[in-house]
Amino acid sequence: MERFKAELRAFVDGIYEGEKKVLVFGEGSADAKVVLVGEAPGEQETLLGRPFVGKAGKNLDEFLALAGLDRSALYVTNTVKFRPTKISPAGRIVNRPPTQEEIKLFLPWLQRELDMVRPECIVTLGNVPLKALMGRKAVIGDLHGQFVESEGRRLYPMYHPASLIYNPSLRETYRADVERFGAWMRDKLT
Ligand code: URA
């Protein structure tokens, strides 16, 4: 894993010469049976150098606890490893979704990371990791809360925890998806 991080750092430095992008690497046990894959780090994640520690991370932890899952048993990472930003009309630095180009750049690294951990299941959070791993036609609205196979990997697509902030009506669906996953984990992995 340390070599992976050093190689990814060198790769990003080569592509974004002179920019010194802050990278947020995956976190957790390399033997984890479950990997959670998000979109890209936000401001808090970039400041602390850890994935899912901001508001979306709080939502995630709340639901993991509800499903009886402990973050320490998981490996948590992102599709894109730096914070995509833009300048808002008010002149502030704000998040933006990662571009297709950024996703494409990081995909081979995500694949390599997943090959190192070799989990029993990959939980994708939101459309970005789902489409990165299954192709552009896969959509979260159709696939959330089901186990699907892709390239020899078992995926469990879920809505992104940040989507609950913008769309509270998803909470019940999200809760049901987490509970189904928790039951599967207790049944299969313990
Ligand atoms: N949202 C993500 O997709 N990843 C993070 O690490 C934080 C917020």
Side-chain angles (χ1 to χ4, degrees):
M1 208 49 100
E2 288 312 309
R3 196 169 91 201
F4 169 82
K5 290 182 187 174
E7 288 180 16
L8 178 50
R9 175 80 265 167
F11 171 78
V12 172
D13 286 349
I15 302 269
Y16 296 92
E17 237 186 296
E19 279 192 55
K20 205 63 195 166
K21 295 273 190 198
V22 178
L23 297 181
V24 177
F25 294 106
E27 177 179 275
S29 161
D31 299 323
K33 296 216 164 43
V34 174
V35 171
L36 300 190
V37 187
E39 184 171 295
E43 185 181 18
Q44 285 303 310
E45 287 75 20
T46 303
L47 283 172
L48 298 175
R50 298 179 55 203
F52 282 103
V53 289
K55 217 168 168 185
K58 297 234 158 52
N59 266 338
L60 182 68
D61 286 341
E62 200 182 305
F63 279 96
L64 289 177
L66 208 142
L69 305 176
D70 190 334
R71 213 202 248 227
S72 65
L74 312 169
Y75 180 92
V76 182
T77 192
N78 280 301
T79 310
V80 168
K81 304 293 197 271
F82 60 68
R83 178 189 180 202
T85 57
K86 63 179 183 186
I87 307 293
S88 75
R92 292 194 320 122
I93 297 174
V94 294
N95 295 344
R96 61 165 170 78
T99 62
Q100 285 309 315
E101 197 184 352
E102 288 163 342
I103 294 168
K104 242 169 102 181
L105 214 60
F106 279 98
L107 182 57
W109 296 90
L110 175 64
Q111 308 267 27
R112 202 172 132 187
E113 200 177 12
L114 294 172
D115 287 342
M116 279 190 288
V117 183
R118 292 169 43 86
E120 298 283 335
C121 187
I122 299 159
V123 178
T124 56
L125 301 172
N127 263 320
V128 168
L130 176 64
K131 287 177 186 289
L133 293 172
M134 283 197 77
R136 301 280 289 275
K137 292 215 179 99
V139 285
I140 189 69
D142 295 339
L143 295 175
H144 73 90
Q146 305 168 39
F147 290 93
V148 289
E149 290 288 323
S150 179
E151 296 180 348
R153 297 190 168 107
R154 181 189 286 124
L155 309 185
Y156 187 81
M158 293 214 325
Y159 283 105
H160 193 284
S163 60
L164 306 179
I165 300 167
Y166 308 111
N167 189 354
S169 66
L170 280 179
R171 281 189 91 81
E172 280 315 307
T173 307
Y174 189 78
R175 178 199 296 262
D177 290 352
V178 175
E179 279 173 356
R180 191 172 307 126
F181 186 74
W184 176 84
M185 267 201 64
R186 280 188 293 279
D187 190 39
K188 292 270 186 274
L189 304 182
T190 54

